[in-house]
Amino acid sequence: MTPALNVAHLSHHYGSHQALNNITFDVAEGCLFGLLGPNGSGKTTLFRLLATLLPVQHGTVTIGGFDLKSQPADIRRRLGVTFQSPALDSRLSVVENLQCHGRIYGLHGAELKQRIDQLLSDFDLSDRRRSLVGDLSGGLRRRVELAKGLLHFPSLLLLDEPSTGLDPAARRQFWDLIGRQRSGMTVIVTTHLMEEAEGCEQLLLLDKGRIVAEGSPTDLQTSLHGERLTLRTSDNAGLRSQVEALLQCEGRTIGDRLCFRVNNAATALQQVMSQFGQQVLSAEVARPTLEDVFLEKTGRDFSVDNEDQETA
């Protein structure tokens, strides 16, 4: 079966800065595929390339059998895109925004009206159809953004940090909407949220423009052996070597924490507390997470303090 997306030996530069470095991967039709990475990982550049906003410099990108270099117009007709930054006209009503977008994609008359009515109903927006977008809450605006991206029945939906700024309840509602609308559609989402990434069927972990891991969230997590013991102590620098000797494993200092990978974290914690309990401020025992996978592959913590600086 032809993949919905094929990326082969893709590289991209901004002057002397290499944002993507020879990456290759496929996305199967109908897959919910996540691009996960911290600042500067390359996920924003990759998203912009897939959305046809940047030219392909090196390598190839094929979407639905169409080549991004030579057939961008054919690809755009098949794409639905929801950007991280708002792409709605706040001065227009909900229905006016959807009408304008539908006409761009060749929808008119009864067909356009029926599609808008259907999406407004599906997204619980029927009573807001005449409301100005600028008067809506962040969660409602996000629903309108998604409805706009789905209006023309895209075969591939691109979502860039789609739940940014939403509270947990609105985030769950947003993903419920996507789940009900997928119906075989391929969805590619960029995210820095582990909860969202764990909901994807396949993941690509990016760091500094390279692929560091690929697979289902479960496969990535189970690829790491043992469990994680995380400690905050009153003297991390002084205690690290002593805890390493006690547990007979190497630790890592991440921010204000000491992290150890052990076979049985609960038993290890008991050992640590029996000898250094007075100096332990807090402790956490956990099975491997996607953040642990990133740490194992890169030796660095997964930091998302700022927006991507890939064009800097």
Side-chain angles (χ1 to χ4, degrees):
M1 180 181 295
T2 302
L5 168 68
N6 172 261
V7 174
H9 307 294
L10 184 65
S11 296
H12 196 88
H13 295 79
Y14 299 105
S16 60
H17 172 66
Q18 187 162 30
L20 294 174
N21 189 349
N22 194 34
I23 67 172
T24 296
F25 67 96
D26 288 336
V27 178
E29 287 189 6
C31 182
L32 174 54
F33 192 90
L35 303 176
L36 178 65
N39 299 342
S41 63
K43 67 181 188 298
T44 296
T45 295
L46 179 55
F47 185 91
R48 291 172 180 169
L49 281 160
L50 299 181
T52 74
L53 299 178
L54 291 175
V56 176
Q57 294 177 347
H58 305 284
T60 61
V61 177
T62 305
I63 297 176
F66 295 97
D67 181 75
L68 186 57
K69 280 185 179 179
S70 60
Q71 300 167 295
D74 294 294
I75 288 174
R76 290 187 191 113
R77 284 193 287 269
R78 290 161 173 79
L79 288 182
V81 185
T82 297
F83 296 100
Q84 181 177 359
S85 300
L88 298 169
D89 192 325
S90 61
R91 300 163 298 178
L92 298 179
S93 68
V94 171
V95 72
E96 287 169 339
N97 270 278
L98 296 179
Q99 287 170 341
C100 290
H101 186 76
R103 287 166 184 154
I104 291 173
Y105 282 87
L107 298 175
H108 300 281
E111 180 186 16
L112 176 57
K113 182 181 183 303
Q114 181 180 6
R115 180 60 174 160
I116 289 175
D117 289 345
Q118 176 188 340
L119 287 172
L120 292 179
S121 175
D122 290 346
F123 289 7
D124 295 324
L125 289 168
S126 297
D127 61 337
R128 299 283 190 160
R129 62 185 301 123
R130 300 298 176 189
S131 299
L132 295 181
V133 166
D135 294 335
L136 301 179
S137 67
L140 290 176
R141 283 197 297 271
R142 256 331 194 187
R143 290 192 220 173
V144 180
E145 293 265 14
L146 180 56
K148 189 183 77 168
L150 293 170
L151 190 62
H152 56 290
F153 300 98
S155 57
L156 174 61
L157 178 65
L158 302 176
L159 303 173
D160 187 17
E161 302 283 358
S163 60
T164 296
L166 299 184
D167 61 46
R171 186 179 301 143
R172 286 192 295 271
Q173 289 175 347
F174 183 85
W175 280 104
D176 286 344
L177 289 172
I178 292 173
R180 294 200 298 268
Q181 292 289 326
R182 279 180 63 192
S183 185
M185 178 174 55
T186 306
V187 179
I188 298 178
V189 55
T190 71
T191 185
H192 63 263
L193 299 174
M194 295 300 168
E195 180 184 356
E196 285 189 346
E198 289 172 355
C200 294
E201 295 165 350
Q202 293 289 314
L203 283 175
L204 198 71
L205 269 64
L206 295 167
D207 183 51
K208 297 182 179 180
R210 297 178 181 272
I211 297 173
V212 297
E214 182 178 3
S216 72
T218 299
D219 288 345
L220 291 173
Q221 289 167 313
T222 56
S223 69
L224 299 184
H225 299 291
E227 298 175 336
R228 174 168 49 86
L229 172 62
T230 304
L231 303 172
R232 284 181 60 248
T233 77
S234 58
D235 182 16
N236 284 351
L239 278 183
R240 176 173 166 175
S241 61
Q242 297 180 63
V243 176
E244 286 177 336
L246 174 67
L247 301 181
Q248 297 186 340
C249 68
E250 183 179 357
R252 284 192 171 111
T253 301
I254 302 175
D256 64 347
R257 300 168 295 162
L258 293 176
C259 294
F260 302 87
R261 185 165 304 286
V262 294
N263 289 329
N264 189 315
T267 299
L269 178 58
Q270 290 177 344
Q271 293 177 288
V272 170
M273 294 302 294
S274 67
Q275 291 202 27
F276 309 110
Q278 293 296 322
Q279 294 167 276
V280 175
L281 302 177
S282 66
E284 179 188 9
V285 171
R287 293 179 179 176
T289 65
L290 292 174
E291 191 166 359
D292 292 322
V293 175
F294 185 86
L295 174 63
E296 191 74 19
K297 298 293 185 180
T298 66
R300 299 190 300 107
D301 193 13
F302 191 98
S303 175
V304 292
D305 294 333
N306 303 296
E307 293 183 359
D308 285 8
Q309 300 296 318
E310 294 165 21
T311 58

